[in-house]
Amino acid sequence: MKKILITGGAGFIGSHVVRRFVTKYPNYQIYNLDALTYAGNLENIKDIEAAPNYTFVKGDIVDADFINSLFAIHNFDGVLHLAAESHVDRSISDPLAFVRTNVIGTMNLLNAAKNQWKNDFTDKLFYHISTDEVYGSLGAEGLFTETTAYDPNSPYSASKASSDHFVRAYGETYGLPYVLTNCSNNYGSYHFPEKLIPLFINNIIHNRPLPVYGDGNYTRDWLFVEDHAVAIDLVFHEGKNHETYNIGGFNEWKNIDLVKLLCQLMDQKLGRTEGTCAKLITYVKDRPGHDLRYAIDASKINTELGWKPSVTFEEGLERTISWYLDNTEWLDNITSGAYQSYYKDQYSV
Ligand code: NAD
Ligand code: DAU
């Protein structure tokens, strides 16, 4: 029985990873460590909470004493580290929160793993889940590869870049076994409605304006979250020690084109006349330091580990919209309370 620590498992991507590991690997005891911030929600993993190989631990990765004692009690064999402050807009209004969780929190986990494993790293692995945003912004051409120089532009991406550097440094300096992945924009079920796709689905449901930043000509590379979970599973089990893998959807969309497609699909799903949802599109003040374009070259994970996305964007988006329409209670529960004041501050409404 291996003991695996997954951090941030009550969040968007983490909940899909926890579900996959708990159901696919009955011989692993999965510990899901999450502070349950505004972005963490036990409803996201309700379906597996009674599984015998699953334990939820509420705790903050910024608390070094707590993290050290957790490692001392359980002596984990592997760590999949997803806990983070993850929203760029929030990093602009409160950058220090991102330094605390993303930098100090990651350091605490690295220290605890290094000290607990005491240089006997046999069959041990620290897997750090990161983002393509560390590479900065692309122009109209080119793709991010694993050797693209780091050039982060937002406090969020700077904090993730910093954590990536510390993971590598612990590998080089102390021999800590690690793998690291940098992934593009995810979408799918359980995505908190502060990010573009779930925010716009929720606003369409409620006939609210769709706030497109700037001219909407920013490009992102979208990946269905369940395909990301498959890639994470593969890298955890077959990735080479001290290697980085880029993960992406081979699926670039300008924001405005994506929003128009979303509006078209939502008109159909909600039985509204064609063009109704698109009337909600509203151009608003741009995000400061807004990165123009992200696009991933995922050929390394494809050729070395045989991974590629299995879900087309049209299928993934359709499944995502259906999930939100079938789960309006989940949406309503998390958009009451603190979400309302966040929304007012962010969109000046
Ligand atoms: P999320 O914001 O949905 O979830 C983050 C989770 O971490 C939440 O459950 C939250 O409660 C928990 N958390 C936050 N601070 C914590 C702390 N101090 N201690 C313990 N738990 C804490 O994030 P997500 O979108 O699921 O992203 C997960 C990871 O994947 C992050 O590291 C992010 O940088 C990375 N990533 C995200 C995307 C994306 O498109 N969402 C793409 C690439 C990489
Ligand atoms: O690339 C990976 C990253 O993708 C992850 O590391 C981050 O955790 C994740 O949040 C995401 O970052 P983005 O900033 O790209 O995602 P977001 O959904 O916030 O925005 C997507 C695009 O849509 C971006 O160009 C900004 C724009 N946008 C976003 C919001 C919330 C709008 O035009 N209006 C909005 O209201």
Side-chain angles (χ1 to χ4, degrees), residues 43 115 142 173 281:
E43 289 294 310
N115 294 338
T173 308
I281 294 173

Side-chain angles (χ1 to χ4, degrees), residues 128 130-137 144-153 157-168 180-182 244 246:
H128 182 60
S130 192
T131 171
D132 61 357
E133 299 202 11
V134 298
Y135 298 124
S137 184
F144 295 135
T145 72
E146 287 79 1
T147 55
T148 301
Y150 275 32
D151 190 17
N153 292 313
S157 51
S159 68
K160 290 296 291 188
S162 171
S163 64
D164 292 11
H165 290 321
F166 276 112
V167 171
R168 280 213 189 86
L180 202 166
T181 50
N182 298 89
T244 291
N246 280 354

Side-chain angles (χ1 to χ4, degrees), residues 38 90 192 208 330-345:
Y38 79 94
R90 288 186 193 252
F192 193 83
R208 278 197 220 117
W330 180 90
L331 256 182
D332 291 345
N333 285 344
I334 55 172
T335 52
S336 58
Y339 181 84
Q340 298 296 333
S341 52
Y342 162 76
Y343 197 89
K344 273 201 189 90
D345 289 348

Side-chain angles (χ1 to χ4, degrees), residues 276-326:
T276 307
C277 295
K279 288 199 184 113
L280 296 170
I281 294 173
T282 311
Y283 291 92
V284 300
K285 190 162 61 75
D286 210 347
R287 172 185 279 175
H290 199 165
D291 286 332
L292 179 67
R293 176 171 165 259
Y294 305 144
I296 281 277
D297 175 354
S299 53
K300 178 175 171 182
I301 188 171
N302 177 249
T303 47
E304 291 188 14
L305 303 182
W307 175 88
K308 64 175 187 320
S310 69
V311 176
T312 65
F313 192 50
E314 288 69 17
E315 183 194 340
L317 203 52
E318 203 278 323
R319 278 169 65 179
T320 302
I321 293 169
S322 297
W323 186 86
Y324 280 93
L325 293 178
D326 292 343

